[in-house]
Amino acid sequence: MAAELEAALRALAKMDLPAVAEAGELIAALMSIKTKIEERARALGYAERCRRSIAVCAGECCRWHFPKRLSRVDFLAAVFNLQAAERAALTTQVRTAGDRFYQCPLLQRNGCIFSFENRPAVCTVAYPCLAGSDYWDYKERFGKDINRLREALGELIDKYGADSGD
């Protein structure tokens, strides 16, 4: 997973101003969808029930239902607005986290590397043990838009040299 983060960081470093602006617009659109989905989870009470349950469940959803890996697209969106020092700290954490079987590698003993509010959009599939069909049906309405935005971000990463060439 560290390679995916490094690919996102390399591409971001190589982007010219118009590409950075385009990436910013795509990420903002993706985050807008993420916010809508998370607002729905809050309105249905899932977010609060999840937060309260963590003391008892010790993050079972984080361990078993969140994505095992994050892609370079997820990382680009997650690091886009971070300062250099924050990016360096994240890189160190991701490298030391490694890959784990059926557990998000960003989950540390004291919780996720990202704050609840700043987790990547791919993590918005949370609440599997709490959510009813209303939440899942609502979330699925955004699937095509999410895929389109992720594909466009992936193309930007590819265009701006995500691969180091070696």
Side-chain angles (χ1 to χ4, degrees):
M1 191 165 64
E4 293 295 302
L5 172 58
E6 290 167 11
L9 291 171
R10 268 194 314 274
L12 184 56
K14 292 180 181 180
M15 286 183 189
D16 57 18
L17 288 178
V20 169
E22 181 181 354
E25 289 173 15
L26 293 167
I27 291 167
L30 189 59
M31 292 301 109
S32 175
I33 293 170
K34 175 183 173 277
T35 298
K36 288 176 186 173
I37 293 170
E38 289 176 345
E39 285 173 355
R40 180 66 162 216
R42 277 190 291 282
L44 293 170
Y46 299 147
E48 184 57 33
R49 285 182 6 215
C50 179
R51 282 190 181 118
R52 282 188 311 218
S53 298
I54 287 174
V56 176
C57 73
E60 283 299 309
C61 291
C62 295
R63 289 185 181 155
W64 304 109
H65 298 291
F66 278 65
K68 182 182 176 197
R69 301 180 58 78
L70 294 180
S71 71
R72 56 189 64 191
V73 170
D74 299 317
F75 276 122
L76 179 64
V79 303
F80 189 76
N81 291 314
L82 294 182
Q83 300 298 319
E86 294 170 314
R87 290 178 185 171
L90 177 63
T91 300
T92 299
Q93 287 176 310
V94 168
R95 283 184 183 148
T96 59
D99 290 329
R100 300 175 188 154
F101 183 73
Y102 290 123
Q103 181 175 343
C104 177
L106 301 181
L107 183 64
Q108 305 297 304
R109 286 185 191 156
N110 60 347
C112 181
I113 288 172
F114 295 107
S115 69
F116 187 83
E117 291 75 18
N118 293 321
R119 65 189 177 176
V122 70
C123 298
T124 307
V125 298
Y127 320 113
C129 57
L130 302 172
S133 61
D134 288 344
Y135 174 74
W136 293 110
D137 291 343
Y138 181 79
K139 184 182 76 63
E140 291 303 313
R141 291 182 204 164
F142 298 100
K144 287 181 183 176
D145 289 333
I146 290 171
N147 290 339
R148 178 185 52 79
L149 293 165
R150 290 177 57 81
E151 184 177 316
L153 283 169
E155 289 171 4
L156 271 177
I157 292 170
D158 292 344
K159 180 178 178 181
Y160 284 90
D163 297 321
S164 62
D166 27 57

